[in-house]
């Protein structure tokens, strides 16, 4: 049995602040004494310590007292943590005391979050926020901009930028090459810029933001503005709740310029090979028809959370006389008024495309091959995100930083337990919609365990639709619905395995994407892709997320089994938050700071 710091009767009289202060003081004392057994006894038997770089130079979660013990035996001496304290008044709810905390290590400063049950830790989050002596150029560390005095500056800001653009990638090599210039690459580019790490972001499109501009014209972000801020430069207060694709494209382009991110558009990465002796990459680029060879020390694949489009191989595709393309190549509805369209798939893209086609006069059929989690946008905003990312949250003092720390503080192992009650309320609130969809034959689910959209996103990155209007069109038959698997295509139809024939002039394959390591296979070879294994997913042993349990998203924002290869992806919120932790890992390596990685996971799935 673990002994309480104070007798139970005294514990009951403590305020939340006193309870947390007492725990932190005891925790720091045990760490300082290197008494790892005493530290471990301060955690519940079923407890979780999630560390984002601060202790482990990794993104990892250790579970239980044994996990805490093993991690600290490997990392306590080097980390040498100290100065633990709260950053604001703790709160107590249903027997759990919660607190935002700050601390220091031998080489950095960190923030985190603590949950206590009684006088034992249930969850602990520790994150590295900055490296001592290598702080981001923010606030008191911002650059002066002008050189005052009688001798002044000999070069203007514009001239310095011109020299950098002329030299970087030619006479001066980037330390980091970021392949992919959407929100993930741009956010990381901004972080590396502020950390003074020479980095170059390259993208195949003609302009930053084209990744959004070139999608189907009805596309809008399904996540709200409060959730989607990028580092350093939040959206203005008049920004719409849901950003239209062209507007977010323009924002990304403007952000790239304002953040002075070295960015090569119209640039394709052709190949990348790592030299283990030189510890550097040889990367061949095609920059607007010019062959450029770079030798960065690190390569980051920032191609979103997905890999290459999954284009199914159905018999008869070669004889089909109409048009067919993947949803990523769908131009929008304008050319298909009066046409018969079959959309294979029933998740976000499928619904968006079907809705736009129907509204523009096409005869649309959605083919649902497996069940879908449908959540109304307004319901998700209220029940799923409202307490953390909304005007309501801001009024309650929940800044984006606090919301990010709160979200990060919840270990993935138990996250579904918090999501299930939310989706029980969702099901009750929107019962009428779900009843109408079921009556129309639409197959619904709330995830394998009822934990809904958020867990589906983390586990598999698919299987859901945030409803912005298409569900009503499915329910009333305006968008036709067919259920089953595609058997083949004929010259003018899609045929399902039950014999149903769906006449078509256009077939859209809204069939998702593969793992991000598919890009590694193309650029670096299948051996490298297999070495790092599958990206994304938790190992939850649910649909499309095979076990064993891994505890964190596979390969994302952290060291991989391929030296000097990293993956940066996810939605805008993840691009914002996790770009910091990846940026700090790269900064430490750039400055020669030792980065012994704890908990590098085994590879269980190749793709």
């Amino acid at each position: 049995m673990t002994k309480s710091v104070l007798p139970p009767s005294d514990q009951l009289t403590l305020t939340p602040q006193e309870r947390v202060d007492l725990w932190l003081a005891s925790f720091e004392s045990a760490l300082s004494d290197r008494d790892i057994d005493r530290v471990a006894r301060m955690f519940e038997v079923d407890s979780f310590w999630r560390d984002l770089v601060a202790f482990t130079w990794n993104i990892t979660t250790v579970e239980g007292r044994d996990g805490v013990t093993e991690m600290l035996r490997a990392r306590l001496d080097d980390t040498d943590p100290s100065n633990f304290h709260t950053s604001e008044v703790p709160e107590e709810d249903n027997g759990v005391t919660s607190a935002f905390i700050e601390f220091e290590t031998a080489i950095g400063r960190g923030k985190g979050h603590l949950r206590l049950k009684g006088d034992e830790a249930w969850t602990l989050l520790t994150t590295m926020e900055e490296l001592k002596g290598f702080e981001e150029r923010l606030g008191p560390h911002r650059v002066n901009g002008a050189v005052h005095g009688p001798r002044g500056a000999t070069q203007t800001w514009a001239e310095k930028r011109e020299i950098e653009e002329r030299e970087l990638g030619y006479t001066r090599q980037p330390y980091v090459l970021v392949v992919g210039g959407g929100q993930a690459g741009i956010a990381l580019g901004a972080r590396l810029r502020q950390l003074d790490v020479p980095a170059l972001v390259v993208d195949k499109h003609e302009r930053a933001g084209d990744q959004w501009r070139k999608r189907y014209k009805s596309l809008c972000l399904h996540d709200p503005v409060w959730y989607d801020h990028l580092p350093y430069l939040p959206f203005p207060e008049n920004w719409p709740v849901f950003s239209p694709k062209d507007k977010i494209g323009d924002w990304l382009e403007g952000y790239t310029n304002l953040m002075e991110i070295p960015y090569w558009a119209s640039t394709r990465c052709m190949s990348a090979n790592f030299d283990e002796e030189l510890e550097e990459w040889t990367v061949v680029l095609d920059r607007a028809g010019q062959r450029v060879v770079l030798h960065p020390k690190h390569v980051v694949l920032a191609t979103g959370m997905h890999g290459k489009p999954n284009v199914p191989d159905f018999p008869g595709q070669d004889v089909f006389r109409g048009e067919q393309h993947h949803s990523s190549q769908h131009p929008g509805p304008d050319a298909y008024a009066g046409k018969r369209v079959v959309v294979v798939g029933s998740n976000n893209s499928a619904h968006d495309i079907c809705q736009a086609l129907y509204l523009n006069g096409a005869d649309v059929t959605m083919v649902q091959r497996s069940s879908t989690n449908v959540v109304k946008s307004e319901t998700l905003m209220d029940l799923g995100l409202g307490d953390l990312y909304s005007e309501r949250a801001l009024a309650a003092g929940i800044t984006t930083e606090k919301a990010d720390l709160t979200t990060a503080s919840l270990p993935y192992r138990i996250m579904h337990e918090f999501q299930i009650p939310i989706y029980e309320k969702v099901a009750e609130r929107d019962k009428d919609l779900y009843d109408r969809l079921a009556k129309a034959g639409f197959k619904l689910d709330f995830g394998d365990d009822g934990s809904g959209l958020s867990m589906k996103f983390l586990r598999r990155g698919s299987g859901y639709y945030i409803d912005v209007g298409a569900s009503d069109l499915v329910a009333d038959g305006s968008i036709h619905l067919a259920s089953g698997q595609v058997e083949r295509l004929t010259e003018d139809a899609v045929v399902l395995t039950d014999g149903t024939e769906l006449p078509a002039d256009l077939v859209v394959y809204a069939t998702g994407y593969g793992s991000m390591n598919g890009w590694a296979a193309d650029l670096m070879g299948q051996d490298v892709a297999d070495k790092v294994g599958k990206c994304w997913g938790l190992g939850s042993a649910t649909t499309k997320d095979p076990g064993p349990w891994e505890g964190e998203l596979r390969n994302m924002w952290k060291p991989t089994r391929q030296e000097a290869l990293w993956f940066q992806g996810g939605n805008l919120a993840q691009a914002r938050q996790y770009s910091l932790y990846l940026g700090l890992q790269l900064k430490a390596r750039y400055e020669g700071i030792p980065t012994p990685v704890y908990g590098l996971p085994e590879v269980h799935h190749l793709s």
Side-chain angles (χ1 to χ4, degrees):
M1 290 286 289
T2 302
K3 292 183 179 180
S4 297
V5 177
L6 288 177
S9 58
D10 291 335
Q11 282 284 320
L12 293 174
T13 64
L14 294 176
T15 66
Q17 183 70 64
E18 291 170 334
R19 190 184 307 277
V20 172
D21 286 345
L22 182 61
W23 191 92
L24 289 175
S26 300
F27 182 60
E28 182 169 339
S29 174
L31 291 170
S32 179
D33 293 343
R34 302 301 189 257
D35 191 341
I36 293 174
D37 290 339
R38 179 153 54 105
V39 174
R41 290 195 300 271
M42 296 181 67
F43 285 77
E44 279 208 319
V45 173
D46 295 320
S47 57
F48 308 87
W49 183 343
R50 187 176 192 221
D51 182 65
L52 307 182
V53 181
F55 279 69
T56 61
W57 289 110
N58 197 357
I59 294 177
T60 190
T61 300
V62 298
E63 300 187 7
R65 295 171 179 171
D66 289 346
V68 170
T69 298
E70 182 181 336
M71 187 272 284
L72 288 178
R73 282 178 178 166
R75 296 297 310 127
L76 179 54
D77 285 343
D78 286 349
T79 305
D80 193 23
S82 63
N83 195 24
F84 285 86
H85 60 277
T86 59
S87 56
E88 58 183 75
V89 177
E91 298 179 349
E92 188 167 357
D93 184 41
N94 291 323
V96 177
T97 306
S98 302
F100 292 100
I101 64 173
E102 296 179 351
F103 61 95
E104 294 184 29
T105 69
I107 54 90
R109 300 179 186 89
K111 296 183 179 181
H113 188 275
L114 171 69
R115 292 185 182 90
L116 298 176
K117 289 184 176 179
D119 65 338
E120 294 179 342
W122 177 34
T123 71
L124 175 63
L125 169 72
T126 48
T127 77
M128 181 180 287
E129 292 294 313
E130 61 184 8
L131 292 164
K132 294 177 181 177
F134 303 104
E135 294 82 2
E136 290 182 290
R137 297 179 294 190
L138 309 175
H141 303 290
R142 73 175 76 219
V143 299
N144 193 44
V147 179
H148 296 155
R151 302 197 180 276
T154 58
Q155 292 177 335
T156 67
W157 167 86
E159 287 170 334
K160 290 178 180 179
R161 290 282 288 134
E162 183 181 352
I163 291 170
E164 180 186 41
E165 290 175 5
R166 184 170 66 245
E167 293 181 349
L168 187 62
Y170 293 98
T171 60
R172 188 162 59 91
Q173 289 296 309
Y175 182 75
V176 179
L177 176 67
V178 182
V179 180
Q183 69 245 17
I186 287 171
L188 180 59
R191 294 286 191 190
L192 294 173
R193 185 71 169 179
Q194 296 308 308
L195 288 166
D196 203 22
V197 176
L200 177 63
V201 181
V202 300
D203 193 89
K204 65 182 180 181
H205 292 97
E206 292 82 5
R207 296 163 57 195
D210 276 353
Q211 303 85 353
W212 288 92
R213 293 189 193 95
K214 293 186 177 182
R215 297 294 303 280
Y216 53 92
K217 75 173 189 177
S218 61
L219 176 64
C220 287
L221 268 66
H222 289 280
D223 296 321
V225 62
W226 307 278
Y227 186 66
D228 288 338
H229 297 302
L230 288 178
Y232 315 117
L233 188 64
F235 292 110
E237 292 190 3
N238 66 341
W239 198 264
V241 173
F242 300 107
S243 301
K245 71 175 184 76
D246 296 287
K247 192 171 181 65
I248 196 68
D250 289 347
W251 178 264
L252 290 173
E253 185 174 32
Y255 181 93
T256 300
N257 292 328
L258 290 170
M259 293 292 106
E260 300 180 15
I261 300 168
Y263 190 104
W264 286 3
S266 301
T267 302
R268 290 183 177 272
C269 184
M270 310 305 292
S271 66
N273 295 284
F274 187 69
D275 188 314
E276 294 186 4
E277 292 186 7
L278 295 177
E279 295 185 327
E280 69 179 25
W281 292 89
T282 296
V283 183
V284 179
L285 302 176
D286 180 335
R287 187 184 187 191
Q290 178 191 31
R291 184 177 184 270
V292 181
V293 179
L294 300 181
H295 295 285
K297 293 294 185 180
H298 296 267
V299 169
V300 181
L301 294 183
T303 53
M305 61 174 282
H306 296 300
K308 297 185 295 183
N310 279 330
V311 180
D313 183 14
F314 296 134
Q317 286 176 320
D318 56 334
V319 302
F320 180 68
R321 292 184 302 198
E323 184 181 350
Q324 51 186 321
H325 52 240
H326 188 265
S327 58
S328 61
Q329 302 300 314
H330 184 63
D334 294 352
Y336 305 108
K339 301 291 186 179
R340 302 165 302 175
V341 183
V342 173
V343 178
V344 180
S346 57
N347 297 330
N348 264 335
S349 293
H351 279 83
D352 286 349
I353 290 169
C354 284
Q355 182 176 3
L357 285 165
Y358 168 77
L359 294 175
N360 282 268
D363 181 3
V364 189
T365 299
M366 177 189 295
V367 177
Q368 186 181 33
R369 301 182 298 166
S370 59
S371 60
T372 307
N373 180 202
V374 174
V375 185
K376 281 187 175 182
S377 176
E378 56 267 30
T379 303
L380 179 64
M381 289 258 301
D382 182 20
L383 299 180
L385 295 173
D387 288 341
L388 294 174
Y389 300 97
S390 67
E391 291 297 329
R392 180 176 91 218
L394 288 173
I398 306 299
T399 63
T400 300
E401 181 185 41
K402 287 175 64 175
D404 286 349
L405 283 174
T406 302
T407 301
S409 74
L410 200 57
Y412 290 129
R413 174 75 85 173
I414 58 174
M415 187 177 286
H416 67 285
E417 298 174 11
F418 290 79
Q419 294 295 311
I420 289 171
I422 293 174
Y423 284 91
E424 288 174 346
K425 293 179 182 178
V426 169
E428 181 179 353
R429 175 179 294 190
D430 295 328
K431 183 178 183 301
D432 174 67
L433 173 65
Y434 297 132
D435 286 347
R436 288 187 290 116
L437 283 170
K439 186 176 181 181
F442 193 88
K443 297 176 182 177
L444 292 158
D445 72 56
F446 284 93
D448 290 11
D449 53 5
S451 58
L453 185 151
S454 296
M455 295 311 301
K456 271 198 162 187
F457 172 71
L458 293 166
R459 290 166 172 172
R460 54 184 281 192
S462 65
Y464 51 84
Y465 167 55
I466 300 174
D467 179 29
V468 293
S471 287
D472 282 327
L473 298 176
V474 173
D476 69 16
S478 298
I479 296 173
H480 310 306
L481 179 66
S483 296
Q485 303 301 316
V486 175
E487 180 179 90
R488 57 190 169 89
L489 274 64
T490 66
E491 291 182 346
D492 58 2
V494 175
V495 182
L496 306 185
T497 52
D498 65 0
T500 300
E501 291 197 18
L502 306 172
D505 303 301
L506 166 68
V507 179
V508 180
Y509 299 113
T511 46
Y513 300 82
S515 170
M516 285 178 71
N517 69 339
W519 296 117
D522 282 356
L523 300 176
M524 302 159 185
Q526 191 62 48
D527 57 333
V528 172
D530 291 345
K531 188 176 183 179
V532 300
K534 182 177 181 178
C535 299
W536 210 261
L538 301 169
S540 62
T542 57
T543 302
K544 295 189 177 181
D545 183 30
W549 177 251
E550 304 199 28
E552 294 286 344
L553 289 170
R554 299 181 187 96
N555 286 317
M556 301 307 300
W557 316 294
K558 58 185 179 181
T560 69
R561 287 283 172 177
Q562 170 58 57
E563 183 181 353
L565 175 62
W566 309 78
F567 293 88
Q568 156 82 356
N571 58 29
L572 281 152
Q574 291 169 313
R576 171 188 68 245
Q577 184 173 9
Y578 287 93
S579 60
L580 172 61
Y581 308 124
L582 177 49
L584 289 170
Q585 293 173 80
L586 292 166
K587 174 64 172 179
R589 286 162 173 80
Y590 176 66
E591 298 295 347
I593 298 172
T595 56
V597 176
Y598 177 82
L600 188 65
E602 299 294 329
V603 173
H604 300 288
H605 307 286
L606 301 184
S607 62

